[in-house]
Amino acid sequence: MQNLMNTELWQGKTLGDLLTLEFLAGAVGSVLAAIAILLVGWIVSAWLQRRVQHLGKKHKHLDEMLFDFLASIVRYVVLGFAVLFVLNTFGVQTTSVVALIGAAGLAIGLALQGTLSNVAAGVMLIMFRPIKIGDFVDIGGEMGTVKQINLNFTELADLSNVQVIVPNSKVWGNVITNYSVNETRRAEWTFGVGYGANLKSAEEIIRKTIMADARAHADPDPFIQVTNLGDSSVDFLVRVWCDAGDYFAFKADMTRQVKEALDAGGVDIPFPTRTIVQAAE
């Protein structure tokens, strides 16, 4: 201070004037430092956001939406730290600010715990990918084709092409049956024939009818065996592999064709009957 007062610049100035000028100089310096910190924080946050997004686009097996979400989080975290540094530059006690932000975050988290659980489940679904768009799935009794997966909900189109919205917390916390993961499926039927039918002939008719269809796989070997002696029929359990995409049509077509082939071969297909005996009076 004494050196400043000895210079020609400050000659004739009072102590109050000198203190005022020094305060203004410090304030200007703080403002410039704050601007510099915000500018650097903005540039660094934008660069990190682009890098995280680029990582998601670089690898095709990674989900871009997840990395867009993570990139946004990274950017806002960096900007948040930049704001804390700016407050510290102006002499604000940042520990109290951090405590206030933490309390506010806890209150918001409790108020939005359902939404946040959906977001957390959405991140897990996108990261681990138990289902993907186009899969035909059953999620807790809701069956349909996956149309969209975002951070809050999963959209299905059911068998009638009706939109079904399932919260992600219900998807991640439920049993998921995915019919589209494996390329092949095993179709299964039960065909009943009469007790008087020639079982060898019936088995041959069933085998020829199903295996003649181009959708039936010869490997693994089909399973066609008598597995039950019912009240009115001898039941054949039939299991044949096919492509997953052919499953429903193949199963329906073979149900009809085997019935017609058994009829044409003279094999009796019984149906339940009831005999009523009336006691004599």
Side-chain angles (χ1 to χ4, degrees):
M1 181 67 69
Q2 186 64 36
N3 292 334
L4 290 175
M5 294 181 66
N6 290 334
T7 62
E8 296 180 357
L9 179 64
W10 302 109
Q11 287 181 359
K13 301 293 184 179
T14 65
L15 181 60
D17 293 335
L18 293 176
L19 292 175
T20 301
L21 291 173
E22 187 177 5
F23 173 77
L24 290 175
V28 171
S30 297
V31 170
L32 293 177
I35 294 175
I37 292 173
L38 288 176
L39 183 60
V40 172
W42 184 271
I43 294 173
V44 171
S45 66
W47 180 81
L48 288 175
Q49 183 180 29
R50 289 194 299 270
R51 293 301 301 172
V52 174
Q53 289 174 334
H54 177 71
L55 181 63
K57 296 177 181 178
K58 183 178 180 181
H59 303 283
K60 293 183 178 180
H61 66 281
L62 299 177
D63 196 285
E64 290 187 23
M65 185 172 67
L66 173 61
F67 279 84
D68 288 341
F69 175 69
L70 295 177
S72 298
I73 291 179
V74 169
R75 181 169 190 181
Y76 288 123
V77 167
V78 173
L79 290 176
F81 278 108
V83 171
L84 290 178
F85 281 123
V86 169
L87 293 176
N88 190 60
T89 301
F90 286 105
V92 178
Q93 294 296 325
T94 54
T95 53
S96 59
V97 175
V98 171
L100 180 62
I101 293 175
L106 178 61
I108 294 173
L110 291 175
L112 300 176
Q113 57 182 338
T115 301
L116 293 178
S117 66
N118 287 331
V119 172
V123 172
M124 300 299 286
L125 287 172
I126 295 171
M127 182 179 298
F128 292 101
R129 302 173 67 86
I131 59 175
K132 60 181 182 295
I133 294 176
D135 285 352
F136 185 75
V137 299
D138 185 329
I139 303 173
E142 297 292 345
M143 181 179 290
T145 302
V146 179
K147 294 296 184 182
Q148 181 184 359
I149 304 172
N150 59 37
L151 291 174
N152 289 306
F153 61 84
T154 298
E155 177 186 345
L156 305 178
D158 70 4
L159 296 175
S160 300
N161 200 31
V162 176
Q163 183 188 55
V164 179
I165 302 297
V166 184
N168 283 337
S169 59
K170 300 294 185 183
V171 178
W172 184 252
N174 231 318
V175 175
I176 301 174
T177 304
N178 194 331
Y179 296 97
S180 302
V181 172
N182 298 322
E183 296 181 356
T184 58
R185 289 186 63 182
R186 188 176 65 181
E188 183 175 306
W189 304 264
T190 298
F191 297 110
V193 300
Y195 273 90
N198 186 316
L199 297 183
K200 184 176 181 180
S201 176
E203 178 183 340
E204 192 63 25
I205 291 173
I206 294 172
R207 183 183 301 275
K208 285 184 177 180
T209 303
I210 294 180
M211 299 310 296
D213 193 285
R215 294 168 292 188
H217 292 187
D219 185 24
D221 292 334
F223 177 89
I224 306 175
Q225 295 290 341
V226 173
T227 57
N228 183 53
L229 300 177
D231 293 337
S232 59
S233 65
V234 178
D235 298 330
F236 282 92
L237 178 61
V238 181
R239 293 171 175 163
V240 179
W241 291 87
C242 65
D243 291 341
D246 295 333
Y247 176 80
F248 290 104
F250 177 58
K251 187 172 182 179
D253 290 345
M254 291 303 100
T255 300
R256 176 172 180 171
Q257 290 183 27
V258 168
K259 195 274 181 187
E260 293 174 344
L262 291 174
D263 287 343
V267 177
D268 178 39
I269 301 179
F271 51 88
T273 58
R274 177 178 296 176
T275 302
I276 299 176
V277 179
Q278 185 175 1
E281 294 182 358

